[in-house]
Every structure is written in structure tokens, then in C-alpha cells.
Amino acid sequence: MAPHIDDALLDDPDELLRKDSRQTLRALATAGAQVRESVSLAEEAGIDRLARLDRPRSVLVAALGGSALVAEVLELLAEPGSPVPVQARRNLPLPGWVGPLDLVVAVSLSGRAPGPVGIAAEAARRGASLLTVGADDSPLAEVCRRARGTHIGVGRGRTSSRTSLWSLLTPVLLGAHTLGLVDTPREQMRQVADRLDEAAEAYRPASESFVNPAKLLALQLAETVPMVLGDGPLSGVAAARASSMLARTARMPAPWGELPDAASQIVACFDGPYTARGGHRPGTYDAGRIRLGDIDTSGWEPHHFAEPEGDLAERPRGAGGRDIFADPFLDGPSLPQLGLLTLRDAAPEPPTRESVEVEALTDAVLATAREAGVRVMDVSAQPGRPLTRLAELVTTVDFTATYLALGLGLDPAVSPHVADLNDRTR
């Protein structure tokens, strides 16, 4: 059965804030402010000094956990025009080719994550240039200072990398822009901040669910076993973020994919046990029929049987092919419905051949999903520069996952099992 979500709680801002022990919603709402503060902190830290360096042979970004999206975004934005390769790394060992001609970017909110700190230390030992982002009073900052690199702090009040994304990402993008790897000048970062502010206003706790897209999406996702699909590279990064946030914040596993490669992988799931027309699952019947000979009827009384036509009994179905007369005691509890959350990038103007093909493939996947009884949810970015479009999709899924957690009675910031795991691995 699908989990119960308390829709009344989602429309009670006082109760939302009370259950949100570490003010996750409020932290997400500061995304625009994080961008502006990080621009100032980067300037104060001397980010422009990077312009005096020779262009690096390559850039390696070390980030993990909630910070991993920083590397994915830089890879995404650098790929079309960067004159040097950009690669992501989560942990040691540092690749053997990294040396004095390369730049290593290490990101950790606390400045204590073993992977980024270890990579930064090894890169410094080999003479590579360093750009680090994290707490000022931390091992990561110390490694960077000893190597005469550039360290940028994250400001005060940042307690979770999941809610401090823009404090971590902004300095990295400014540094990459200074080196000529991406086109993200300060003026564009301020436009991103404005878009994030608009989203925070639309998704605020006081906004009722019927006009709040994040709350509405949370209510829809709660009734499904969700999958997330991006329609291209940019929305694919957002889909990976959605999968991570749904798992870590809402405790709901959600596999993700990116078109065109993931089309078959996603569509194959429509044949599985979570769709009424696919698989053999409790509470549903193949093609609307059940063969009485396939069921153990020992101990049943005659009144348990409907009057079949021969050995087949037709069962009425509701929306999505569900059996509206399924008995949870005889048929077993019904499984939740498969859900497909599609994140779509804004179409370019004028359309290109590639964008037309992507749109046609996406529409074909959604049509197949609806025919199979999958619940389809569609989120599209508004036109704008790539980083602005990505920011809109990311903040939507961040707020959605948080509202979903709260509606399910979960604290979005505190997981007892994660705490147990940390205790057992210390």
C-alpha cells in the first residue's frame, strides 16, 4: 500500500516549522542569499588571483555526498566550450596524471570530509594548483593555505551540504569563469539568485498546496513508487539531484535516468509489478482476468466465488487499470502505483533538430507510461541561461523532497539509521 501523507499538515505552516527540527525549509529558501553572499566571500578571498595562473592542463573536482552536485554542474557547464577537460572525483586515490600543470578543486562544507581533504593534500604534495571551498577553520582550509592556494569560506549558519548547495557551487563557478572554463560571470550569478528567490516565494510554507507546485508534487509522489527521468544533460543533473534528495531527505528510493540512453531502462519498468498492466501482483489480474484454477481454493466456501464465465472471471477496473473490487484479505494488499517524474529542460528558440528529437522521444515515453497505468508528473524549466534553468529544477525537487518528508511524518534533516551507521563506523 502507498504510504499515508498528511496533506493537512502541509497546509499548516506552524506545524511544518515545528516538525522541521533543523529548519530545512528555511535553509532552502536562503539559496538566493547564499549566491549573493558567496560572490562577496569569493571576492574577499581573492578569487581573481586565479586569472594570474596559467590555464591548467585539466581540472579535477573532489566532492562527495551532498556536495557532489558541484562537480556534476561544473562538468555539465564546462563540457560545451571548456578548452580543458573537467573531471569529478569522490575519493582517493588521486589519479596518477595529476601534477603541477593541473588544478584540483576540493569542496566540503565542514572542510573535514576525508575524500576531498585527502585529495587536496595529495594534490598539494604533487605541486598542483588548489581551489578549495569549505569552513574557514578546517583541515581543508589549512591544506590549501599551506599550498598557497585559494580557499573560499562558506559563511555562517550552514549546517548541511544538502541545503547549502549554492554556498559551495557559486565560488567554484566563479573560479572556473575566471579561468575561462565556463561562462558564469558575477552578473549571471545574480540572475540565478533572483530566480532562486522567486522559487522560494512560490514554494514557501504559507502557500497552500493547491497553488504551491512543490507541495502538490509531494502529494503526487507519495502515492507512487517513483522514478525520475531527465530529458537531456541539464535535466539529467537535476534528475540525479532529485533521486538523491528523495532518498536522503524523504527516505524514498527513486532510480533516475537521462534521455536518450535511459529510455529503454525506464520503459522496461512499465512491465513490472508496480503497474496494473505489467507483471503479476497482488490486487491486479493479467488482462483483467483471473483463472480460478491458478488459486489454491482449499477451505473456501461457495459464497467466496463470483459466477465466472467458464473458468474466467472478469474484474472491473478503475483508472490506471486497477481492480476496483479487489479484496485486500483475499487478494492481498495492493502495491503502490509506479510514478514517473519527468524533468524537462526549456526548449531552445528557435527549435533545433536535436531538441525536436528529444521532445518527440520524451512524449513517446510519457505516452507509453500513461498507457501502462503509470502516474506521470511533469516539471519543465522556464527559458533562461543554462545555470538559471538548472537552478529552477534543482530548487523545485529540493523543496518537493522536503515537503514529502514532512508530510510522511519524517524529519527531513535527521535519520536515526544514518545516526546509527555513523556511531558504528566511528
Side-chain angles (χ1 to χ4, degrees):
M1 297 178 65
H4 171 70
I5 186 168
D6 188 348
D7 53 351
L9 183 147
L10 292 183
D11 287 334
D12 186 340
D14 293 334
E15 188 66 8
L16 282 173
L17 294 176
R18 189 182 72 80
K19 290 186 177 296
D20 190 3
S21 68
R22 298 188 182 176
Q23 300 183 332
T24 302
L25 287 171
R26 185 169 295 174
L28 291 175
T30 68
Q34 290 178 34
V35 173
R36 297 184 184 92
E37 181 185 39
S38 294
V39 169
S40 298
L41 291 173
E43 291 173 346
E44 293 170 6
I47 192 75
D48 291 335
R49 291 202 309 267
L50 294 176
R52 298 199 294 268
L53 299 177
D54 292 334
R55 177 176 289 165
R57 177 180 61 181
S58 69
V59 177
L60 185 141
V61 186
L64 49 78
S67 306
L69 191 68
V70 173
E72 295 169 10
V73 173
L74 184 58
E75 281 187 299
L76 170 76
L77 297 180
E79 186 175 27
S82 173
V84 303
V86 177
Q87 296 188 18
R89 192 80 177 181
R90 294 177 184 267
N91 214 329
L92 289 168
L94 184 67
W97 50 262
V98 174
L101 300 179
D102 304 298
L103 171 68
V104 170
V105 180
V107 179
S108 168
L109 184 68
S110 67
R112 289 173 168 77
V117 173
I119 286 177
E122 177 61 17
R125 189 186 70 79
R126 298 187 196 177
S129 301
L130 279 184
L131 170 62
T132 60
V133 181
D136 280 320
D137 183 17
S138 69
L140 182 63
E142 183 61 23
V143 166
C144 189
R145 292 186 183 108
R146 287 180 179 178
R148 297 185 179 181
T150 302
H151 178 80
I152 301 169
V154 292
R156 297 180 179 178
R158 308 288 179 237
T159 59
S160 168
S161 57
R162 281 177 288 146
T163 58
S164 304
L165 169 64
W166 296 96
S167 291
L168 301 171
L169 178 58
T170 301
V172 173
L173 294 181
L174 291 175
H177 174 79
T178 301
L179 291 168
L181 309 182
V182 297
D183 183 22
T184 52
R186 290 169 174 78
E187 296 73 21
Q188 184 184 155
M189 299 309 299
R190 294 188 178 98
Q191 293 172 8
V192 171
D194 291 342
R195 182 71 66 93
L196 290 169
D197 286 344
E198 293 170 4
E201 174 66 18
Y203 304 149
R204 67 191 187 280
S207 173
E208 295 183 332
S209 56
F210 65 90
V211 294
N212 186 320
K215 289 183 179 181
L216 181 59
L217 190 56
L219 290 168
Q220 294 172 334
L221 283 169
E223 299 175 350
T224 71
V225 174
M227 299 187 299
V228 189
L229 180 65
D231 70 348
L234 185 144
S235 54
V237 170
R241 171 71 170 190
S243 176
S244 173
M245 288 294 289
L246 287 171
R248 185 64 179 84
T249 301
R251 281 57 143 193
M252 185 172 285
W256 70 277
E258 175 189 317
L259 292 178
D261 290 349
S264 297
Q265 171 184 313
I266 293 292
V267 171
C269 295
F270 303 166
D271 302 324
Y274 297 103
T275 59
R277 290 183 175 85
H280 297 276
R281 48 174 284 187
T284 63
Y285 305 88
D286 187 29
R289 295 175 178 268
I290 178 172
R291 293 186 178 275
L292 298 179
D294 293 340
I295 299 177
D296 180 6
T297 58
S298 59
W300 284 22
E301 298 295 332
H303 67 269
H304 285 142
F305 296 92
E307 294 184 6
E309 298 175 6
D311 65 340
L312 295 173
E314 292 285 353
R315 301 295 295 263
R317 292 188 176 273
R322 276 168 156 57
D323 178 3
I324 63 175
F325 293 140
D327 187 324
F329 294 100
L330 298 180
D331 302 321
S334 61
L335 296 176
Q337 183 181 10
L338 188 67
L340 180 61
L341 171 59
T342 308
L343 303 179
R344 307 180 77 158
D345 195 5
E349 290 293 342
T352 64
R353 180 176 62 83
E354 291 80 6
S355 69
V356 171
E357 291 175 351
V358 166
E359 184 176 6
L361 177 59
T362 306
D363 290 342
V365 170
L366 297 187
T368 305
R370 292 187 176 98
E371 289 175 0
V374 177
R375 182 160 193 172
V376 173
M377 295 149 281
D378 208 15
V379 176
S380 298
Q382 299 301 309
R385 296 184 67 115
L387 184 60
T388 306
R389 305 196 308 269
L390 179 64
E392 182 178 350
L393 292 175
V394 167
T395 196
T396 298
V397 299
D398 285 357
F399 272 97
T400 295
T402 303
Y403 281 126
L404 179 56
L406 292 167
L408 294 174
L410 303 169
D411 189 325
V414 180
S415 168
H417 287 95
V418 171
D420 288 346
L421 177 63
N422 291 337
D423 290 341
R424 289 170 177 163
T425 55
R426 281 176 181 166

